[in-house]
Short mmCIF file of all heavy atoms in Angstrom, two decimals:
data_model
loop_
_atom_site.label_atom_id
_atom_site.label_comp_id
_atom_site.label_asym_id
_atom_site.label_seq_id
_atom_site.Cartn_x
_atom_site.Cartn_y
_atom_site.Cartn_z
N TYR A 1 82.75 76.46 74.84
CA TYR A 1 82.59 75.21 75.59
C TYR A 1 83.87 74.86 76.36
O TYR A 1 83.82 74.51 77.53
CB TYR A 1 82.21 74.07 74.64
CG TYR A 1 81.80 72.81 75.33
CD1 TYR A 1 80.57 72.71 75.97
CD2 TYR A 1 82.64 71.71 75.35
CE1 TYR A 1 80.18 71.54 76.60
CE2 TYR A 1 82.26 70.53 75.98
CZ TYR A 1 81.04 70.45 76.60
OH TYR A 1 80.65 69.30 77.24
N LEU A 2 85.02 74.98 75.69
CA LEU A 2 86.29 74.71 76.36
C LEU A 2 86.53 75.69 77.50
O LEU A 2 87.03 75.32 78.56
CB LEU A 2 87.44 74.75 75.36
CG LEU A 2 87.51 73.59 74.38
CD1 LEU A 2 88.61 73.82 73.36
CD2 LEU A 2 87.70 72.28 75.11
N GLU A 3 86.17 76.94 77.30
CA GLU A 3 86.31 77.94 78.35
C GLU A 3 85.42 77.58 79.54
O GLU A 3 85.83 77.71 80.70
CB GLU A 3 85.93 79.32 77.80
CG GLU A 3 86.34 80.46 78.68
CD GLU A 3 87.83 80.68 78.68
OE1 GLU A 3 88.46 80.64 77.62
OE2 GLU A 3 88.36 80.91 79.78
N GLY A 4 84.21 77.10 79.25
CA GLY A 4 83.32 76.67 80.32
C GLY A 4 83.83 75.46 81.07
O GLY A 4 83.74 75.37 82.30
N LEU A 5 84.39 74.49 80.35
CA LEU A 5 84.98 73.31 81.00
C LEU A 5 86.14 73.72 81.90
O LEU A 5 86.29 73.20 83.01
CB LEU A 5 85.46 72.30 79.95
CG LEU A 5 84.39 71.55 79.18
CD1 LEU A 5 85.04 70.67 78.11
CD2 LEU A 5 83.53 70.71 80.09
N ALA A 6 86.95 74.65 81.42
CA ALA A 6 88.08 75.11 82.23
C ALA A 6 87.60 75.84 83.48
O ALA A 6 88.15 75.66 84.57
CB ALA A 6 88.97 76.03 81.39
N ALA A 7 86.55 76.63 83.35
CA ALA A 7 86.00 77.34 84.51
C ALA A 7 85.46 76.35 85.53
O ALA A 7 85.65 76.51 86.74
CB ALA A 7 84.90 78.30 84.06
N ALA A 8 84.77 75.32 85.06
CA ALA A 8 84.24 74.30 85.97
C ALA A 8 85.37 73.56 86.66
O ALA A 8 85.30 73.27 87.86
CB ALA A 8 83.36 73.32 85.20
N ALA A 9 86.43 73.27 85.94
CA ALA A 9 87.57 72.56 86.53
C ALA A 9 88.25 73.42 87.60
O ALA A 9 88.69 72.91 88.64
CB ALA A 9 88.57 72.18 85.45
N ARG A 10 88.32 74.74 87.34
CA ARG A 10 88.93 75.63 88.33
C ARG A 10 88.15 75.65 89.63
O ARG A 10 88.73 75.71 90.71
CB ARG A 10 89.06 77.05 87.79
CG ARG A 10 90.23 77.24 86.86
CD ARG A 10 90.46 78.72 86.57
NE ARG A 10 89.35 79.36 85.90
CZ ARG A 10 89.17 79.39 84.59
NH1 ARG A 10 90.03 78.78 83.79
NH2 ARG A 10 88.14 80.01 84.06
N THR A 11 86.84 75.58 89.56
CA THR A 11 86.03 75.61 90.78
C THR A 11 86.10 74.29 91.54
O THR A 11 85.87 74.27 92.74
CB THR A 11 84.56 75.94 90.48
OG1 THR A 11 84.02 74.94 89.62
CG2 THR A 11 84.42 77.31 89.85
N ARG A 12 86.42 73.21 90.84
CA ARG A 12 86.51 71.91 91.50
C ARG A 12 87.90 71.61 92.05
O ARG A 12 88.10 70.60 92.71
CB ARG A 12 86.12 70.80 90.53
CG ARG A 12 84.65 70.75 90.21
CD ARG A 12 84.30 69.49 89.46
NE ARG A 12 84.94 69.39 88.16
CZ ARG A 12 84.43 69.82 87.02
NH1 ARG A 12 83.25 70.39 87.01
NH2 ARG A 12 85.06 69.66 85.89
N MET A 13 88.85 72.47 91.76
CA MET A 13 90.22 72.22 92.23
C MET A 13 90.26 72.26 93.75
O MET A 13 89.70 73.16 94.36
CB MET A 13 91.17 73.28 91.67
CG MET A 13 91.52 73.07 90.23
SD MET A 13 92.60 74.34 89.55
CE MET A 13 93.86 74.52 90.78
N PRO A 14 90.93 71.31 94.35
CA PRO A 14 91.05 71.33 95.81
C PRO A 14 92.01 72.43 96.23
O PRO A 14 92.88 72.84 95.46
CB PRO A 14 91.61 69.96 96.14
CG PRO A 14 92.37 69.57 94.92
CD PRO A 14 91.61 70.17 93.76
N GLU A 15 91.83 72.89 97.47
CA GLU A 15 92.78 73.86 97.99
C GLU A 15 94.09 73.16 98.30
O GLU A 15 94.11 72.00 98.69
CB GLU A 15 92.24 74.51 99.26
CG GLU A 15 91.33 75.65 98.97
CD GLU A 15 91.16 76.54 100.19
OE1 GLU A 15 92.14 76.79 100.91
OE2 GLU A 15 90.04 76.97 100.39
N HIS A 16 95.15 73.87 98.12
CA HIS A 16 96.45 73.30 98.39
C HIS A 16 96.69 73.27 99.89
O HIS A 16 96.28 74.17 100.61
CB HIS A 16 97.54 74.14 97.72
CG HIS A 16 97.48 74.08 96.23
ND1 HIS A 16 98.57 73.74 95.47
CD2 HIS A 16 96.47 74.29 95.34
CE1 HIS A 16 98.24 73.76 94.19
NE2 HIS A 16 96.98 74.09 94.09
N PRO A 17 97.39 72.25 100.38
CA PRO A 17 97.70 72.22 101.82
C PRO A 17 98.68 73.33 102.17
O PRO A 17 99.32 73.91 101.29
CB PRO A 17 98.33 70.84 102.02
CG PRO A 17 98.80 70.43 100.69
CD PRO A 17 97.88 71.08 99.68
N VAL A 18 98.79 73.62 103.43
CA VAL A 18 99.64 74.71 103.89
C VAL A 18 101.10 74.49 103.48
O VAL A 18 101.80 75.43 103.13
CB VAL A 18 99.54 74.84 105.43
CG1 VAL A 18 100.51 75.89 105.95
CG2 VAL A 18 98.12 75.18 105.83
N ASN A 19 101.56 73.26 103.50
CA ASN A 19 102.96 72.98 103.18
C ASN A 19 103.17 72.55 101.72
O ASN A 19 104.14 71.88 101.41
CB ASN A 19 103.50 71.90 104.12
CG ASN A 19 102.73 70.60 104.01
OD1 ASN A 19 101.67 70.55 103.38
ND2 ASN A 19 103.23 69.56 104.63
N CYS A 20 102.29 72.96 100.83
CA CYS A 20 102.39 72.59 99.41
C CYS A 20 103.65 73.18 98.80
O CYS A 20 104.01 74.32 99.07
CB CYS A 20 101.16 73.08 98.65
SG CYS A 20 101.19 72.65 96.91
N ARG A 21 104.33 72.40 97.97
CA ARG A 21 105.58 72.84 97.35
C ARG A 21 105.44 73.06 95.84
O ARG A 21 106.45 73.13 95.13
CB ARG A 21 106.67 71.80 97.59
CG ARG A 21 107.00 71.60 99.03
CD ARG A 21 107.78 72.77 99.53
NE ARG A 21 108.13 72.57 100.93
CZ ARG A 21 108.39 73.54 101.75
NH1 ARG A 21 108.36 74.78 101.33
NH2 ARG A 21 108.71 73.30 102.99
N CYS A 22 104.21 73.19 95.34
CA CYS A 22 104.06 73.43 93.90
C CYS A 22 104.59 74.83 93.57
O CYS A 22 104.79 75.67 94.45
CB CYS A 22 102.60 73.28 93.46
SG CYS A 22 101.53 74.68 93.85
N GLN A 23 104.83 75.08 92.30
CA GLN A 23 105.44 76.34 91.88
C GLN A 23 104.58 77.54 92.29
O GLN A 23 105.10 78.54 92.77
CB GLN A 23 105.66 76.32 90.37
CG GLN A 23 106.37 77.55 89.87
CD GLN A 23 106.63 77.50 88.38
OE1 GLN A 23 106.18 76.60 87.70
NE2 GLN A 23 107.35 78.47 87.88
N HIS A 24 103.29 77.44 92.11
CA HIS A 24 102.40 78.56 92.44
C HIS A 24 102.44 78.87 93.94
O HIS A 24 102.59 80.02 94.34
CB HIS A 24 100.96 78.24 92.01
CG HIS A 24 99.98 79.27 92.44
ND1 HIS A 24 99.90 80.49 91.84
CD2 HIS A 24 99.05 79.26 93.42
CE1 HIS A 24 98.96 81.21 92.43
NE2 HIS A 24 98.43 80.47 93.39
N CYS A 25 102.31 77.83 94.76
CA CYS A 25 102.31 78.03 96.21
C CYS A 25 103.66 78.53 96.70
O CYS A 25 103.74 79.39 97.58
CB CYS A 25 101.91 76.75 96.94
SG CYS A 25 100.17 76.34 96.71
N THR A 26 104.74 78.01 96.13
CA THR A 26 106.08 78.45 96.52
C THR A 26 106.26 79.93 96.18
O THR A 26 106.76 80.71 97.00
CB THR A 26 107.15 77.61 95.80
OG1 THR A 26 106.94 76.23 96.13
CG2 THR A 26 108.54 78.03 96.20
N HIS A 27 105.83 80.33 94.99
CA HIS A 27 105.93 81.73 94.59
C HIS A 27 105.09 82.61 95.51
O HIS A 27 105.55 83.66 95.96
CB HIS A 27 105.48 81.89 93.14
CG HIS A 27 105.45 83.31 92.69
ND1 HIS A 27 106.59 84.03 92.43
CD2 HIS A 27 104.41 84.17 92.50
CE1 HIS A 27 106.27 85.26 92.08
NE2 HIS A 27 104.95 85.36 92.11
N ARG A 28 103.87 82.17 95.81
CA ARG A 28 102.97 82.95 96.67
C ARG A 28 103.57 83.09 98.07
O ARG A 28 103.53 84.17 98.66
CB ARG A 28 101.59 82.31 96.72
CG ARG A 28 100.57 83.15 97.45
CD ARG A 28 99.22 82.53 97.43
NE ARG A 28 99.30 81.18 97.99
CZ ARG A 28 98.45 80.22 97.70
NH1 ARG A 28 97.48 80.43 96.86
NH2 ARG A 28 98.56 79.03 98.27
N THR A 29 104.16 82.02 98.59
CA THR A 29 104.77 82.06 99.92
C THR A 29 105.97 83.00 99.92
O THR A 29 106.12 83.82 100.84
CB THR A 29 105.20 80.65 100.35
OG1 THR A 29 104.06 79.80 100.34
CG2 THR A 29 105.83 80.66 101.72
N ARG A 30 106.82 82.91 98.92
CA ARG A 30 107.99 83.79 98.85
C ARG A 30 107.57 85.25 98.72
O ARG A 30 108.18 86.14 99.30
CB ARG A 30 108.89 83.39 97.69
CG ARG A 30 109.64 82.11 97.96
CD ARG A 30 110.56 81.76 96.83
NE ARG A 30 111.23 80.50 97.10
CZ ARG A 30 111.78 79.76 96.17
NH1 ARG A 30 111.77 80.15 94.91
NH2 ARG A 30 112.35 78.62 96.49
N TYR A 31 106.52 85.50 97.95
CA TYR A 31 106.03 86.87 97.79
C TYR A 31 105.50 87.40 99.12
O TYR A 31 105.78 88.54 99.50
CB TYR A 31 104.93 86.93 96.72
CG TYR A 31 104.41 88.32 96.49
CD1 TYR A 31 105.16 89.25 95.76
CD2 TYR A 31 103.18 88.71 96.98
CE1 TYR A 31 104.69 90.52 95.55
CE2 TYR A 31 102.71 89.99 96.78
CZ TYR A 31 103.46 90.89 96.06
OH TYR A 31 103.00 92.17 95.86
N ALA A 32 104.77 86.57 99.86
CA ALA A 32 104.25 86.98 101.16
C ALA A 32 105.39 87.24 102.13
O ALA A 32 105.36 88.20 102.91
CB ALA A 32 103.32 85.91 101.73
N GLN A 33 106.44 86.41 102.09
CA GLN A 33 107.60 86.62 102.96
C GLN A 33 108.32 87.92 102.59
O GLN A 33 108.76 88.66 103.47
CB GLN A 33 108.57 85.44 102.85
CG GLN A 33 108.04 84.17 103.48
CD GLN A 33 108.90 82.96 103.16
OE1 GLN A 33 109.70 82.97 102.24
NE2 GLN A 33 108.72 81.90 103.95
N LEU A 34 108.44 88.20 101.30
CA LEU A 34 109.07 89.43 100.85
C LEU A 34 108.28 90.65 101.32
O LEU A 34 108.85 91.62 101.82
CB LEU A 34 109.21 89.43 99.32
CG LEU A 34 109.78 90.70 98.69
CD1 LEU A 34 111.23 90.89 99.13
CD2 LEU A 34 109.70 90.61 97.19
N GLN A 35 106.96 90.59 101.19
CA GLN A 35 106.11 91.69 101.63
C GLN A 35 106.25 91.90 103.14
O GLN A 35 106.31 93.03 103.61
CB GLN A 35 104.65 91.43 101.26
CG GLN A 35 104.39 91.45 99.77
CD GLN A 35 104.66 92.80 99.16
OE1 GLN A 35 105.77 93.09 98.73
NE2 GLN A 35 103.65 93.64 99.13
N ALA A 36 106.29 90.81 103.91
CA ALA A 36 106.43 90.91 105.36
C ALA A 36 107.79 91.52 105.72
O ALA A 36 107.89 92.35 106.63
CB ALA A 36 106.27 89.55 106.00
N ALA A 37 108.84 91.11 105.02
CA ALA A 37 110.18 91.67 105.28
C ALA A 37 110.22 93.15 104.95
O ALA A 37 110.82 93.94 105.70
CB ALA A 37 111.22 90.90 104.45
N ARG A 38 109.59 93.54 103.86
CA ARG A 38 109.55 94.97 103.51
C ARG A 38 108.77 95.77 104.55
O ARG A 38 109.17 96.87 104.93
CB ARG A 38 108.91 95.15 102.13
CG ARG A 38 109.81 94.76 101.01
CD ARG A 38 109.14 94.95 99.68
NE ARG A 38 110.03 94.57 98.59
CZ ARG A 38 109.63 94.36 97.36
NH1 ARG A 38 108.35 94.47 97.04
NH2 ARG A 38 110.50 94.02 96.43
N ALA A 39 107.65 95.22 105.00
CA ALA A 39 106.85 95.90 106.02
C ALA A 39 107.63 96.02 107.32
O ALA A 39 107.61 97.07 107.98
CB ALA A 39 105.55 95.15 106.25
N ALA A 40 108.38 94.98 107.69
CA ALA A 40 109.19 95.02 108.91
C ALA A 40 110.30 96.06 108.78
O ALA A 40 110.58 96.80 109.73
CB ALA A 40 109.76 93.64 109.20
N ALA A 41 110.94 96.11 107.61
CA ALA A 41 112.02 97.08 107.41
C ALA A 41 111.47 98.50 107.46
O ALA A 41 112.09 99.40 108.05
CB ALA A 41 112.70 96.82 106.07
#
């Protein structure tokens, strides 16, 4: 039941705005920048 509640909550989560500064979005942005820098190099 708790697993189901958590799954339902995950689907209801709003998308983060483009300029979101939460830890997850910051990490994802830095990772994307690192990948782009590696590809450019």
